[in-house]
Amino acid sequence: MKFYGILFLVASGLNWIWEVSQTFAFEVSGVSVGRMLLFCTFASLIDGMVTVTIFWVLQKLHVVIGWKVYLFAAASGVLCAVFFEQAAFTFNLWTYNERMPVLPFFGTGVLPVLQLMTLVPSAIWLALKLKRN
């Protein structure tokens, strides 16, 4: 259980940095800095829970720690990002501005897809490394 806590903290921290750094590509006019940081914090906590859930599912499927875990974690991250972005569009939670590159078929932003594709396996790797030390 301690490992999942470490994984959650690592994933949330990494995602918070990414969330804040990609705000330039979202429509945030009229939103205060404090409110934007609060939203980024909330989103990064959700991303941390997603990372823990993905790792938990992989463990339940008995995927052995190794390259397969990182590959499946990256693929799961992509699927989650597309799902979250589509849900956000459906409920008008946010929109992109002209600086967000968009995937052609899905209309999903490249930055959110890259975020979970890279940070889910990175957080798992880093948390496992911290656990060993």
Short mmCIF file of all heavy atoms in Angstrom, two decimals, residues 22-76:
data_model
loop_
_atom_site.label_atom_id
_atom_site.label_comp_id
_atom_site.label_asym_id
_atom_site.label_seq_id
_atom_site.Cartn_x
_atom_site.Cartn_y
_atom_site.Cartn_z
N GLN A 22 1.41 23.51 -19.76
CA GLN A 22 0.67 23.46 -21.03
C GLN A 22 -0.53 24.42 -21.07
O GLN A 22 -1.26 24.44 -22.05
CB GLN A 22 0.21 22.03 -21.34
CG GLN A 22 -0.93 21.53 -20.48
CD GLN A 22 -1.39 20.13 -20.88
OE1 GLN A 22 -1.02 19.61 -21.91
NE2 GLN A 22 -2.22 19.55 -20.04
N THR A 23 -0.69 25.23 -20.06
CA THR A 23 -1.84 26.15 -20.04
C THR A 23 -1.82 27.14 -21.20
O THR A 23 -2.87 27.66 -21.59
CB THR A 23 -1.92 26.92 -18.71
OG1 THR A 23 -0.71 27.64 -18.49
CG2 THR A 23 -2.22 25.98 -17.55
N PHE A 24 -0.65 27.38 -21.79
CA PHE A 24 -0.56 28.29 -22.92
C PHE A 24 -1.40 27.83 -24.10
O PHE A 24 -1.76 28.63 -24.96
CB PHE A 24 0.91 28.46 -23.37
CG PHE A 24 1.45 27.26 -24.08
CD1 PHE A 24 1.36 27.15 -25.46
CD2 PHE A 24 2.05 26.22 -23.38
CE1 PHE A 24 1.86 26.04 -26.13
CE2 PHE A 24 2.55 25.11 -24.03
CZ PHE A 24 2.45 25.01 -25.41
N ALA A 25 -1.72 26.54 -24.17
CA ALA A 25 -2.44 25.99 -25.32
C ALA A 25 -3.94 25.82 -25.05
O ALA A 25 -4.65 25.27 -25.88
CB ALA A 25 -1.83 24.66 -25.73
N PHE A 26 -4.40 26.30 -23.91
CA PHE A 26 -5.82 26.23 -23.57
C PHE A 26 -6.40 27.62 -23.50
O PHE A 26 -5.69 28.59 -23.23
CB PHE A 26 -6.01 25.52 -22.21
CG PHE A 26 -5.78 24.04 -22.28
CD1 PHE A 26 -4.50 23.52 -22.17
CD2 PHE A 26 -6.83 23.16 -22.44
CE1 PHE A 26 -4.27 22.16 -22.23
CE2 PHE A 26 -6.62 21.80 -22.51
CZ PHE A 26 -5.34 21.28 -22.39
N GLU A 27 -7.68 27.70 -23.72
CA GLU A 27 -8.38 28.99 -23.62
C GLU A 27 -8.63 29.28 -22.15
O GLU A 27 -9.47 28.65 -21.52
CB GLU A 27 -9.70 28.92 -24.39
CG GLU A 27 -10.37 30.25 -24.56
CD GLU A 27 -9.48 31.27 -25.26
OE1 GLU A 27 -8.92 30.97 -26.32
OE2 GLU A 27 -9.34 32.38 -24.71
N VAL A 28 -7.86 30.23 -21.59
CA VAL A 28 -7.97 30.55 -20.17
C VAL A 28 -8.21 32.04 -19.93
O VAL A 28 -8.00 32.52 -18.82
CB VAL A 28 -6.73 30.08 -19.37
CG1 VAL A 28 -6.63 28.58 -19.33
CG2 VAL A 28 -5.45 30.68 -19.94
N SER A 29 -8.66 32.75 -20.95
CA SER A 29 -8.88 34.18 -20.77
C SER A 29 -9.96 34.42 -19.71
O SER A 29 -10.96 33.72 -19.65
CB SER A 29 -9.27 34.83 -22.10
OG SER A 29 -10.44 34.24 -22.60
N GLY A 30 -9.70 35.39 -18.86
CA GLY A 30 -10.66 35.73 -17.82
C GLY A 30 -10.57 34.86 -16.59
O GLY A 30 -11.33 35.03 -15.64
N VAL A 31 -9.64 33.90 -16.57
CA VAL A 31 -9.47 33.01 -15.42
C VAL A 31 -8.28 33.52 -14.61
O VAL A 31 -7.20 33.76 -15.16
CB VAL A 31 -9.23 31.56 -15.87
CG1 VAL A 31 -8.96 30.65 -14.69
CG2 VAL A 31 -10.41 31.05 -16.69
N SER A 32 -8.47 33.68 -13.31
CA SER A 32 -7.39 34.16 -12.46
C SER A 32 -6.29 33.11 -12.36
O SER A 32 -6.53 31.91 -12.56
CB SER A 32 -7.92 34.48 -11.06
OG SER A 32 -8.27 33.29 -10.39
N VAL A 33 -5.10 33.56 -12.04
CA VAL A 33 -3.97 32.64 -11.87
C VAL A 33 -4.26 31.65 -10.76
O VAL A 33 -4.00 30.44 -10.89
CB VAL A 33 -2.66 33.43 -11.59
CG1 VAL A 33 -1.53 32.49 -11.23
CG2 VAL A 33 -2.29 34.29 -12.78
N GLY A 34 -4.83 32.11 -9.67
CA GLY A 34 -5.16 31.23 -8.55
C GLY A 34 -6.14 30.14 -8.94
O GLY A 34 -5.97 28.97 -8.60
N ARG A 35 -7.15 30.53 -9.69
CA ARG A 35 -8.15 29.53 -10.13
C ARG A 35 -7.53 28.54 -11.12
O ARG A 35 -7.83 27.36 -11.08
CB ARG A 35 -9.34 30.25 -10.75
CG ARG A 35 -10.48 29.31 -11.04
CD ARG A 35 -11.71 30.03 -11.44
NE ARG A 35 -12.74 29.05 -11.72
CZ ARG A 35 -14.00 29.26 -11.61
NH1 ARG A 35 -14.43 30.44 -11.24
NH2 ARG A 35 -14.86 28.32 -11.90
N MET A 36 -6.68 29.04 -12.01
CA MET A 36 -6.01 28.16 -12.96
C MET A 36 -5.11 27.16 -12.22
O MET A 36 -5.10 25.97 -12.53
CB MET A 36 -5.17 28.96 -13.95
CG MET A 36 -4.50 28.09 -14.99
SD MET A 36 -2.96 28.73 -15.66
CE MET A 36 -2.06 29.30 -14.28
N LEU A 37 -4.36 27.63 -11.21
CA LEU A 37 -3.50 26.73 -10.44
C LEU A 37 -4.32 25.71 -9.65
O LEU A 37 -3.93 24.55 -9.54
CB LEU A 37 -2.59 27.52 -9.51
CG LEU A 37 -1.49 28.34 -10.19
CD1 LEU A 37 -0.76 29.19 -9.16
CD2 LEU A 37 -0.54 27.45 -10.95
N LEU A 38 -5.46 26.13 -9.15
CA LEU A 38 -6.35 25.20 -8.44
C LEU A 38 -6.87 24.13 -9.40
O LEU A 38 -6.89 22.95 -9.07
CB LEU A 38 -7.51 25.97 -7.81
CG LEU A 38 -8.48 25.14 -6.98
CD1 LEU A 38 -7.77 24.52 -5.77
CD2 LEU A 38 -9.65 26.01 -6.52
N PHE A 39 -7.26 24.54 -10.59
CA PHE A 39 -7.73 23.58 -11.59
C PHE A 39 -6.61 22.62 -11.98
O PHE A 39 -6.83 21.41 -12.10
CB PHE A 39 -8.27 24.31 -12.82
CG PHE A 39 -8.89 23.38 -13.82
CD1 PHE A 39 -10.17 22.92 -13.65
CD2 PHE A 39 -8.17 22.95 -14.93
CE1 PHE A 39 -10.75 22.04 -14.55
CE2 PHE A 39 -8.72 22.07 -15.85
CZ PHE A 39 -10.01 21.62 -15.65
N CYS A 40 -5.39 23.14 -12.18
CA CYS A 40 -4.25 22.29 -12.52
C CYS A 40 -3.96 21.30 -11.40
O CYS A 40 -3.61 20.14 -11.65
CB CYS A 40 -3.01 23.14 -12.82
SG CYS A 40 -3.10 24.04 -14.38
N THR A 41 -4.09 21.74 -10.16
CA THR A 41 -3.87 20.85 -9.02
C THR A 41 -4.90 19.74 -9.00
O THR A 41 -4.57 18.56 -8.83
CB THR A 41 -3.91 21.65 -7.70
OG1 THR A 41 -2.89 22.65 -7.75
CG2 THR A 41 -3.71 20.76 -6.50
N PHE A 42 -6.16 20.09 -9.19
CA PHE A 42 -7.24 19.10 -9.24
C PHE A 42 -7.00 18.09 -10.37
O PHE A 42 -7.09 16.88 -10.17
CB PHE A 42 -8.59 19.80 -9.41
CG PHE A 42 -9.75 18.86 -9.45
CD1 PHE A 42 -10.14 18.16 -8.32
CD2 PHE A 42 -10.44 18.67 -10.63
CE1 PHE A 42 -11.22 17.28 -8.37
CE2 PHE A 42 -11.51 17.79 -10.69
CZ PHE A 42 -11.91 17.10 -9.56
N ALA A 43 -6.65 18.60 -11.55
CA ALA A 43 -6.39 17.72 -12.70
C ALA A 43 -5.20 16.80 -12.42
O ALA A 43 -5.23 15.61 -12.78
CB ALA A 43 -6.14 18.55 -13.96
N SER A 44 -4.16 17.32 -11.79
CA SER A 44 -2.98 16.48 -11.52
C SER A 44 -3.29 15.40 -10.49
O SER A 44 -2.73 14.29 -10.55
CB SER A 44 -1.80 17.33 -11.08
OG SER A 44 -2.02 17.89 -9.81
N LEU A 45 -4.18 15.68 -9.54
CA LEU A 45 -4.59 14.64 -8.58
C LEU A 45 -5.38 13.54 -9.28
O LEU A 45 -5.21 12.35 -8.98
CB LEU A 45 -5.40 15.26 -7.44
CG LEU A 45 -4.64 16.23 -6.54
CD1 LEU A 45 -5.58 16.90 -5.56
CD2 LEU A 45 -3.49 15.54 -5.83
N ILE A 46 -6.22 13.91 -10.22
CA ILE A 46 -6.94 12.90 -11.02
C ILE A 46 -5.95 12.09 -11.84
O ILE A 46 -6.04 10.86 -11.90
CB ILE A 46 -7.99 13.57 -11.92
CG1 ILE A 46 -9.12 14.14 -11.06
CG2 ILE A 46 -8.54 12.58 -12.95
CD1 ILE A 46 -10.12 14.98 -11.80
N ASP A 47 -4.98 12.76 -12.44
CA ASP A 47 -3.95 12.05 -13.22
C ASP A 47 -3.16 11.09 -12.33
O ASP A 47 -2.79 10.00 -12.76
CB ASP A 47 -3.01 13.04 -13.89
CG ASP A 47 -3.71 13.88 -14.96
OD1 ASP A 47 -4.72 13.43 -15.51
OD2 ASP A 47 -3.22 15.00 -15.21
N GLY A 48 -2.91 11.49 -11.09
CA GLY A 48 -2.23 10.60 -10.14
C GLY A 48 -3.07 9.37 -9.84
O GLY A 48 -2.55 8.24 -9.80
N MET A 49 -4.37 9.55 -9.66
CA MET A 49 -5.26 8.40 -9.42
C MET A 49 -5.34 7.50 -10.65
O MET A 49 -5.37 6.27 -10.52
CB MET A 49 -6.67 8.89 -9.03
CG MET A 49 -6.72 9.49 -7.64
SD MET A 49 -8.38 9.86 -7.06
CE MET A 49 -8.84 11.22 -8.11
N VAL A 50 -5.33 8.10 -11.82
CA VAL A 50 -5.35 7.32 -13.06
C VAL A 50 -4.08 6.47 -13.15
O VAL A 50 -4.14 5.29 -13.50
CB VAL A 50 -5.50 8.24 -14.29
CG1 VAL A 50 -5.18 7.51 -15.58
CG2 VAL A 50 -6.90 8.82 -14.33
N THR A 51 -2.95 7.06 -12.84
CA THR A 51 -1.68 6.33 -12.89
C THR A 51 -1.68 5.15 -11.93
O THR A 51 -1.30 4.03 -12.30
CB THR A 51 -0.50 7.26 -12.57
OG1 THR A 51 -0.51 8.35 -13.50
CG2 THR A 51 0.83 6.53 -12.63
N VAL A 52 -2.15 5.37 -10.70
CA VAL A 52 -2.23 4.29 -9.71
C VAL A 52 -3.18 3.20 -10.21
O VAL A 52 -2.88 2.00 -10.11
CB VAL A 52 -2.68 4.83 -8.33
CG1 VAL A 52 -3.04 3.70 -7.39
CG2 VAL A 52 -1.58 5.70 -7.74
N THR A 53 -4.30 3.59 -10.77
CA THR A 53 -5.28 2.62 -11.28
C THR A 53 -4.70 1.80 -12.42
O THR A 53 -4.88 0.57 -12.46
CB THR A 53 -6.57 3.33 -11.73
OG1 THR A 53 -7.10 4.07 -10.62
CG2 THR A 53 -7.60 2.34 -12.24
N ILE A 54 -4.02 2.46 -13.34
CA ILE A 54 -3.40 1.73 -14.45
C ILE A 54 -2.40 0.72 -13.92
O ILE A 54 -2.39 -0.45 -14.34
CB ILE A 54 -2.74 2.71 -15.46
CG1 ILE A 54 -3.83 3.47 -16.23
CG2 ILE A 54 -1.80 1.95 -16.42
CD1 ILE A 54 -3.29 4.61 -17.08
N PHE A 55 -1.54 1.13 -12.99
CA PHE A 55 -0.55 0.20 -12.45
C PHE A 55 -1.23 -0.94 -11.70
O PHE A 55 -0.83 -2.10 -11.83
CB PHE A 55 0.43 0.93 -11.52
CG PHE A 55 1.54 0.06 -11.05
CD1 PHE A 55 2.59 -0.28 -11.89
CD2 PHE A 55 1.55 -0.45 -9.76
CE1 PHE A 55 3.61 -1.12 -11.47
CE2 PHE A 55 2.57 -1.27 -9.32
CZ PHE A 55 3.60 -1.61 -10.18
N TRP A 56 -2.27 -0.63 -10.93
CA TRP A 56 -3.00 -1.65 -10.18
C TRP A 56 -3.60 -2.69 -11.13
O TRP A 56 -3.50 -3.89 -10.90
CB TRP A 56 -4.09 -0.99 -9.34
CG TRP A 56 -4.89 -1.95 -8.53
CD1 TRP A 56 -4.55 -2.50 -7.32
CD2 TRP A 56 -6.17 -2.50 -8.87
NE1 TRP A 56 -5.53 -3.35 -6.89
CE2 TRP A 56 -6.54 -3.36 -7.83
CE3 TRP A 56 -7.03 -2.33 -9.95
CZ2 TRP A 56 -7.74 -4.07 -7.83
CZ3 TRP A 56 -8.22 -3.02 -9.96
CH2 TRP A 56 -8.57 -3.89 -8.91
N VAL A 57 -4.21 -2.23 -12.22
CA VAL A 57 -4.80 -3.15 -13.21
C VAL A 57 -3.71 -4.02 -13.83
O VAL A 57 -3.88 -5.24 -13.98
CB VAL A 57 -5.57 -2.38 -14.30
CG1 VAL A 57 -5.93 -3.27 -15.48
CG2 VAL A 57 -6.83 -1.74 -13.71
N LEU A 58 -2.58 -3.42 -14.18
CA LEU A 58 -1.48 -4.20 -14.76
C LEU A 58 -1.00 -5.26 -13.78
O LEU A 58 -0.68 -6.38 -14.18
CB LEU A 58 -0.34 -3.28 -15.18
CG LEU A 58 -0.63 -2.37 -16.38
CD1 LEU A 58 0.50 -1.38 -16.58
CD2 LEU A 58 -0.88 -3.19 -17.63
N GLN A 59 -0.95 -4.93 -12.51
CA GLN A 59 -0.54 -5.91 -11.49
C GLN A 59 -1.57 -7.03 -11.38
O GLN A 59 -1.22 -8.19 -11.23
CB GLN A 59 -0.35 -5.23 -10.14
CG GLN A 59 0.83 -4.26 -10.11
CD GLN A 59 2.13 -4.97 -10.41
OE1 GLN A 59 2.62 -5.73 -9.61
NE2 GLN A 59 2.69 -4.71 -11.58
N LYS A 60 -2.85 -6.69 -11.43
CA LYS A 60 -3.91 -7.70 -11.36
C LYS A 60 -3.90 -8.61 -12.58
O LYS A 60 -4.29 -9.77 -12.50
CB LYS A 60 -5.30 -7.05 -11.22
CG LYS A 60 -5.50 -6.38 -9.88
CD LYS A 60 -5.41 -7.39 -8.75
CE LYS A 60 -5.50 -6.73 -7.40
NZ LYS A 60 -5.21 -7.61 -6.30
N LEU A 61 -3.43 -8.08 -13.71
CA LEU A 61 -3.31 -8.89 -14.93
C LEU A 61 -1.99 -9.67 -14.95
O LEU A 61 -1.69 -10.34 -15.92
CB LEU A 61 -3.40 -8.00 -16.17
CG LEU A 61 -4.75 -7.33 -16.41
CD1 LEU A 61 -4.66 -6.36 -17.58
CD2 LEU A 61 -5.84 -8.37 -16.65
N HIS A 62 -1.22 -9.54 -13.89
CA HIS A 62 0.05 -10.24 -13.71
C HIS A 62 1.08 -9.88 -14.78
O HIS A 62 1.85 -10.73 -15.22
CB HIS A 62 -0.16 -11.76 -13.66
CG HIS A 62 -1.08 -12.18 -12.57
ND1 HIS A 62 -0.74 -12.13 -11.25
CD2 HIS A 62 -2.37 -12.62 -12.61
CE1 HIS A 62 -1.76 -12.54 -10.51
NE2 HIS A 62 -2.76 -12.84 -11.30
N VAL A 63 1.06 -8.61 -15.19
CA VAL A 63 2.09 -8.15 -16.12
C VAL A 63 3.35 -7.93 -15.29
O VAL A 63 3.36 -7.18 -14.33
CB VAL A 63 1.66 -6.84 -16.83
CG1 VAL A 63 2.76 -6.35 -17.75
CG2 VAL A 63 0.37 -7.06 -17.60
N VAL A 64 4.40 -8.64 -15.66
CA VAL A 64 5.66 -8.59 -14.92
C VAL A 64 6.34 -7.25 -15.16
O VAL A 64 6.31 -6.72 -16.27
CB VAL A 64 6.58 -9.76 -15.35
CG1 VAL A 64 7.90 -9.73 -14.62
CG2 VAL A 64 5.87 -11.09 -15.16
N ILE A 65 6.96 -6.71 -14.10
CA ILE A 65 7.68 -5.45 -14.23
C ILE A 65 8.76 -5.61 -15.29
O ILE A 65 9.57 -6.53 -15.24
CB ILE A 65 8.33 -5.04 -12.88
CG1 ILE A 65 7.27 -4.87 -11.80
CG2 ILE A 65 9.14 -3.77 -13.05
CD1 ILE A 65 6.28 -3.78 -12.05
N GLY A 66 8.75 -4.74 -16.24
CA GLY A 66 9.68 -4.77 -17.35
C GLY A 66 9.12 -3.90 -18.47
O GLY A 66 8.19 -3.11 -18.24
N TRP A 67 9.63 -4.07 -19.64
CA TRP A 67 9.23 -3.20 -20.75
C TRP A 67 7.74 -3.29 -21.05
O TRP A 67 7.13 -2.30 -21.48
CB TRP A 67 10.06 -3.48 -21.99
CG TRP A 67 9.81 -4.83 -22.62
CD1 TRP A 67 10.46 -5.99 -22.35
CD2 TRP A 67 8.83 -5.13 -23.61
NE1 TRP A 67 9.95 -7.02 -23.10
CE2 TRP A 67 8.93 -6.51 -23.89
CE3 TRP A 67 7.87 -4.40 -24.29
CZ2 TRP A 67 8.13 -7.17 -24.81
CZ3 TRP A 67 7.07 -5.04 -25.21
CH2 TRP A 67 7.20 -6.41 -25.46
N LYS A 68 7.12 -4.45 -20.81
CA LYS A 68 5.68 -4.59 -21.09
C LYS A 68 4.84 -3.68 -20.20
O LYS A 68 3.85 -3.11 -20.65
CB LYS A 68 5.22 -6.04 -20.92
CG LYS A 68 5.67 -6.95 -22.02
CD LYS A 68 5.12 -8.34 -21.81
CE LYS A 68 5.63 -9.28 -22.88
NZ LYS A 68 5.13 -10.64 -22.71
N VAL A 69 5.24 -3.54 -18.94
CA VAL A 69 4.51 -2.65 -18.03
C VAL A 69 4.54 -1.23 -18.58
O VAL A 69 3.50 -0.55 -18.62
CB VAL A 69 5.10 -2.69 -16.61
CG1 VAL A 69 4.61 -1.52 -15.77
CG2 VAL A 69 4.76 -3.99 -15.92
N TYR A 70 5.70 -0.77 -19.01
CA TYR A 70 5.83 0.59 -19.49
C TYR A 70 5.09 0.79 -20.82
O TYR A 70 4.47 1.83 -21.04
CB TYR A 70 7.30 0.98 -19.60
CG TYR A 70 8.00 0.83 -18.28
CD1 TYR A 70 8.99 -0.13 -18.08
CD2 TYR A 70 7.63 1.61 -17.19
CE1 TYR A 70 9.61 -0.28 -16.85
CE2 TYR A 70 8.24 1.46 -15.95
CZ TYR A 70 9.22 0.51 -15.79
OH TYR A 70 9.82 0.36 -14.57
N LEU A 71 5.12 -0.21 -21.68
CA LEU A 71 4.40 -0.13 -22.94
C LEU A 71 2.89 -0.09 -22.71
O LEU A 71 2.18 0.75 -23.26
CB LEU A 71 4.77 -1.32 -23.84
CG LEU A 71 4.08 -1.37 -25.19
CD1 LEU A 71 4.51 -0.19 -26.05
CD2 LEU A 71 4.40 -2.68 -25.90
N PHE A 72 2.39 -1.01 -21.87
CA PHE A 72 0.95 -1.03 -21.57
C PHE A 72 0.54 0.23 -20.81
O PHE A 72 -0.57 0.76 -21.02
CB PHE A 72 0.57 -2.28 -20.79
CG PHE A 72 0.58 -3.54 -21.60
CD1 PHE A 72 1.22 -4.67 -21.14
CD2 PHE A 72 -0.07 -3.60 -22.83
CE1 PHE A 72 1.24 -5.83 -21.89
CE2 PHE A 72 -0.06 -4.76 -23.58
CZ PHE A 72 0.59 -5.88 -23.11
N ALA A 73 1.39 0.72 -19.94
CA ALA A 73 1.09 1.95 -19.20
C ALA A 73 0.99 3.14 -20.16
O ALA A 73 0.07 3.96 -20.04
CB ALA A 73 2.16 2.21 -18.13
N ALA A 74 1.89 3.22 -21.12
CA ALA A 74 1.85 4.31 -22.11
C ALA A 74 0.59 4.22 -22.96
O ALA A 74 -0.09 5.22 -23.18
CB ALA A 74 3.10 4.27 -22.98
N ALA A 75 0.27 3.01 -23.43
CA ALA A 75 -0.94 2.82 -24.25
C ALA A 75 -2.20 3.15 -23.45
O ALA A 75 -3.12 3.80 -23.95
CB ALA A 75 -0.99 1.39 -24.77
N SER A 76 -2.23 2.73 -22.20
CA SER A 76 -3.38 3.04 -21.34
C SER A 76 -3.49 4.54 -21.10
O SER A 76 -4.58 5.09 -21.06
CB SER A 76 -3.25 2.32 -19.99
OG SER A 76 -3.24 0.93 -20.16
#
